Amino acid sequence: MYEKHYPEKRFNITMEFLKSHAHSPSTILDLGVENPFSKLMTAEGFSVENTKGQDLDVDRNQLFSSSAKITTAFEIFEHLLSPLEILKSVQSEHLFASVPLKLWFSKAYQSKTDPWDRHYHEFETWQFNWLLKKAGWEIIEAKTFTHPVRKIGFRPLLRLITPRYYLVYCQRKS
């Protein structure tokens, strides 16, 4: 486990999951701009190319032109209007993706200060599985995990026991 290396539980779980199926120095196309996790993947020996901040709902050219064998999409699909089109456009053979799960006790996330930082989708596991299958991906392994917060109250207690994230490793169907 990577708990001693990374400050966030989801980083630890995601890195362990990634490294159980992909080995450095694999080349990765990471959907989204450079971020703390893409920097961690680079530090772990992966060769990471990030998308350039373009609106992937409109401009998918980089997805078509990338020669990376692995694509990662960690917590990005919830921000996109058309995740099906993005998933169909990925040219890699392997996909690692995570999405926040819909929580019955909490509304979808919407930043009060950043108009781009909001969730158009929060999935149930069956919905994301269906989306992946429809886009031509076969799920090899999947896992859910919680993301507790350091607060006191009923919702923080629910976050301690209710899975918040869904993480999958997929291969392109032949």
Side-chain angles (χ1 to χ4, degrees):
M1 191 80 163
Y2 291 87
E3 288 180 15
K4 293 183 170 72
H5 292 94
Y6 307 128
E8 288 197 39
K9 176 182 178 179
R10 65 189 170 114
F11 286 1
N12 293 311
I13 291 169
T14 303
M15 184 61 74
E16 182 177 292
F17 190 82
L18 175 66
K19 290 184 87 172
S20 72
H21 297 285
H23 306 288
S24 57
S26 298
T27 301
I28 293 174
L29 173 63
D30 184 45
L31 303 187
V33 296
E34 186 178 55
N35 57 73
F37 195 77
S38 63
K39 290 177 183 178
L40 292 175
M41 289 189 294
T42 299
E44 289 287 340
F46 293 99
S47 176
V48 179
E49 169 194 1
N50 286 90
T51 52
K52 309 297 183 229
Q54 70 270 36
D55 182 345
L56 293 174
D57 281 316
V58 177
D59 179 2
R60 297 187 303 277
N61 290 327
Q62 192 176 359
L63 304 181
F64 293 120
S65 64
S66 175
S67 62
K69 299 287 185 213
I70 299 170
T71 295
T72 56
F74 299 123
E75 286 132 63
I76 187 168
F77 290 124
E78 66 274 13
H79 299 281
L80 300 169
L81 291 173
S82 303
L84 175 63
E85 295 306 314
I86 283 90
L87 284 164
K88 288 179 3 184
S89 299
V90 169
Q91 301 298 302
S92 302
E93 300 167 19
H94 307 275
L95 172 70
F96 292 85
S98 63
V99 292
L101 294 170
K102 183 179 179 188
L103 298 175
W104 61 269
F105 57 85
S106 182
K107 292 181 179 181
Y109 173 75
Q110 180 180 359
S111 172
K112 304 273 191 253
T113 58
D114 184 347
W116 295 102
D117 189 16
R118 49 189 61 179
H119 291 180
Y120 293 105
H121 310 279
E122 287 186 349
F123 300 91
E124 292 184 30
T125 56
W126 70 268
Q127 291 171 308
F128 196 57
N129 292 350
W130 187 30
L131 179 65
L132 290 163
K133 182 178 180 179
K134 192 169 187 172
W137 293 97
E138 178 183 357
I139 298 171
I140 305 302
E141 185 179 353
K143 85 181 294 173
T144 59
F145 58 96
T146 62
H147 188 66
V149 293
R150 292 186 174 111
K151 294 180 180 177
I152 296 173
F154 183 66
R155 284 187 184 175
L157 176 63
L158 289 174
R159 289 183 186 279
L160 185 64
I161 59 174
T162 305
R164 175 61 172 148
Y165 293 103
Y166 186 48
L167 180 61
V168 295
Y169 164 55
C170 305
Q171 292 179 351
R172 175 71 67 194
K173 286 189 217 173
S174 328

